[in-house]
Amino acid sequence: MTPPDSTPSSSDSSASGAGGERKRILTGVRPTGALHLGHYVGALENWIRLQREYECFFLIADYQVSDYADDFDRVRESVWEVALDWLAVGLDPNNSHYTIESLVPEHAELTTWLGWWTPLGMLERNPTLKSEMADLEARGSVPVAFFNYPLMQVANILMPKAHLVPVGDDQLPHIEMTREIARRFNRKFDREVFPEPDALVGRVARLVGTDGDAKMSKSRNNAIFLKDDEDTVNQKVRGMFTDPTRLRATDPGHVEGNPVFIYHDAFNPDTDEVNDLKERYVAGKVGDVEVKQKLAKAINAFLDPIRERRRYFESHPEEVRAALERGSTYSREVAQATMADVRDAMQTNYLAR
Ligand code: TRP
C-alpha cells in the first residue's frame, strides 16, 4: 500500500542556482504540539508549493523548547505529531529532508560561534522574543536557552546555506537577524560563507483564533488542528466568535474582521457561496447558524484528504521513523560540510603549526 497522493506543486524556474542545482529552503517548527489551520495558511502552504523547486530542509527544533523544560513528555510526543502533520499535508520526505535538530548537534556548535558576533542588544531588541519572554516571565522565569533561541534559529538557517525561509510573520525579526549575522560573518572573514536568506510569509499572515483573538494558538485554546475530526471541527465552528454587535439574524452584520468570514475566505473555495453569505449577512438576511454550517463543511472538506493521509502514516510508523532518520542523517552531512567551511574561515586549526 502506498500513501495517498500529495498535493502537486507549481513550477518556478527562479529556484535554480547557477549550476542548475536547486536553491535551498530551511524552515521548521518547535515541537510543542500538533499543527493547526494557522500554521497551514501562514506557512505550510508555501512549503508544499515550493518543495519541488527548492531543496527543502524541514526542521523540528527540539533544542528550542526550553519553555517546555518541565514537560518533556510533550516535546517527545510533539516531535512525532509534527512529523505526522507534515506527512499528512503532503510534504514529501523522499524529496526533502525531515530533520530533528538535536540529531544534528552542529546546530549547537554553530550557535556558539555565531554568538561571538551577536551583541546582547540584538536579542534584547527582537520584538518577537521580547513579547514571548514577557509571557514566560509572567508565568515564572525565562531559561537562558530561551533567550538564545533566535540565535539558534539563525544557525539552523545558515547551516544548509538556505536562500529562502518561508515562515509565519512573527518570525520575520529572526530572519532579519539571520541576514545581519550572515553579513557580519562574511565581512569579518572576507568571504561569502553564508548567503543572506529571504523570508516568505504565507497567504494569511496571522490567522485569528476561533475566539476572535489576534492569533490562533494552542495555548489560547482557540485553534482548529489539522488532525481534528469532523465532530470536533463542527463543535469548534459552532462556538466561534462572530460579529459582537449583531444580536439577531435580522440585524445588519459586519463581515470585515469577522472571524467566521475570515475563515470562509481562507478555506471555502466556493467564492460564489461566500459572496452570497456576505451579502445576506450585511443585509441581515442570514443567521450565524447557516454561515457556520457552511464554514464547518468547507473546513471538513479541506481537512478530509489531510486526515486520510494522517491515518495512513499513523498505521505505518516505520515510514515516519524512516523519514526522520534519513533526513536527519543527510542534514548532518550537510552540516559537517558547512562547519568545515566555518572552521576554515575562522582558521581554528590550532594544532597545525
Ligand atoms: N522559531 C520558529 C517558530 O517558533 C521555529 C524555527 C526554529 C524555525 N528554527 C527555525 C523556523 C528555522 C524557520 C527557520 O515557529
Side-chain angles (χ1 to χ4, degrees):
M1 185 175 163
T2 53
D5 251 2
S6 45
T7 319
S9 64
S10 64
S11 71
D12 172 11
S13 55
S14 68
S16 291
E21 77 281 10
R22 290 182 297 171
K23 287 190 178 179
R24 285 175 172 170
I25 278 177
L26 181 132
T27 188
V29 296
R30 304 189 313 134
T32 61
L35 303 179
H36 53 61
L37 292 178
H39 290 116
Y40 194 91
V41 287
L44 281 174
E45 205 171 49
N46 277 334
W47 308 6
I48 297 161
R49 182 170 60 84
L50 296 169
Q51 66 179 324
R52 307 235 182 279
E53 292 125 60
Y54 286 80
E55 182 183 13
C56 291
F57 294 78
F58 298 126
L59 183 80
I60 302 179
D62 67 321
Y63 276 149
Q64 297 173 49
V65 283
S66 54
D67 45 334
Y68 286 79
D70 294 332
D71 195 1
F72 212 85
D73 282 349
R74 163 156 223 133
V75 173
R76 262 189 294 270
E77 187 57 31
S78 300
V79 169
W80 200 256
E81 288 288 316
V82 166
L84 280 170
D85 281 333
W86 284 355
L87 290 162
V89 297
L91 294 174
D92 178 4
N94 296 313
N95 189 45
S96 61
H97 316 296
Y98 280 33
T99 307
I100 295 177
E101 185 179 37
S102 65
L103 293 185
V104 185
E106 285 76 9
H107 288 125
E109 184 185 5
L110 184 56
T111 303
T112 300
W113 287 129
L114 294 178
W116 284 44
W117 299 282
T118 309
L120 270 186
M122 204 190 269
L123 287 162
E124 283 165 349
R125 280 191 303 273
N126 182 308
T128 298
L129 183 63
K130 240 183 181 167
S131 79
E132 287 168 334
M133 293 216 309
D135 286 352
L136 267 182
E137 227 153 55
R139 286 190 281 126
S141 61
V142 184
V144 170
F146 193 84
F147 180 70
N148 212 33
Y149 96 76
L151 184 59
M152 189 163 264
Q153 182 165 346
V154 171
N156 299 151
I157 296 167
L158 296 185
M159 192 64 87
K161 306 186 180 185
H163 299 90
L164 189 67
V165 191
V167 278
D169 77 337
D170 57 322
Q171 299 297 304
L172 292 178
H174 305 340
I175 315 304
E176 198 44 51
M177 230 178 90
T178 308
R179 297 172 61 86
E180 174 73 31
I181 290 172
R183 228 172 6 245
R184 283 173 187 235
F185 190 94
N186 292 342
R187 204 185 307 127
K188 174 83 192 160
F189 296 106
D190 199 26
R191 61 177 88 177
E192 275 309 290
V193 178
F194 300 117
E196 280 180 47
D198 291 312
L200 178 69
V201 173
R203 171 163 72 97
V204 181
R206 201 172 286 215
L207 185 69
V208 290
T210 52
D211 59 354
D213 200 339
K215 193 182 172 186
M216 181 174 278
S217 78
K218 176 191 59 260
S219 56
R220 285 173 226 244
N221 220 344
N222 64 2
I224 295 175
F225 294 95
L226 299 176
K227 67 173 198 175
D228 279 348
D229 63 22
E230 191 170 333
D231 286 344
T232 306
V233 168
N234 291 342
Q235 183 205 320
K236 286 181 178 176
V237 170
R238 231 180 290 123
M240 270 182 80
F241 281 43
T242 58
D243 178 357
T245 66
R246 192 173 186 249
L247 303 177
R248 284 167 293 268
T250 51
D251 293 346
H254 297 88
V255 163
E256 210 137 296
N258 186 329
V260 181
F261 285 102
I262 293 173
Y263 283 34
H264 263 297
D265 283 335
F267 299 104
N268 190 345
D270 186 348
T271 46
D272 288 342
E273 176 175 281
V274 175
N275 289 335
D276 170 63
L277 286 173
K278 285 181 181 172
E279 274 167 35
R280 286 158 59 212
Y281 199 81
V282 172
K285 293 208 162 81
V286 64
D288 279 348
V289 173
E290 182 183 342
V291 176
K292 287 180 173 179
Q293 272 167 354
K294 294 200 156 117
L295 176 61
K297 197 160 172 239
I299 293 176
N300 280 318
F302 166 79
L303 290 178
D304 268 339
I306 297 175
R307 291 169 179 145
E308 191 191 331
R309 283 192 295 264
R310 202 181 212 275
R311 268 195 302 276
Y312 170 87
F313 287 106
E314 277 169 349
S315 60
H316 292 77
E318 71 287 355
E319 292 190 33
V320 183
R321 200 174 305 120
L324 291 168
E325 208 164 47
R326 191 164 0 93
S328 299
T329 302
Y330 179 86
S331 290
R332 183 143 203 220
E333 285 164 21
V334 170
Q336 285 171 345
T338 296
M339 291 316 297
D341 291 347
V342 168
R343 280 188 216 104
D344 194 46
M346 293 179 67
Q347 296 182 27
T348 55
N349 48 341
Y350 308 114
L351 304 181
R353 69 168 184 192

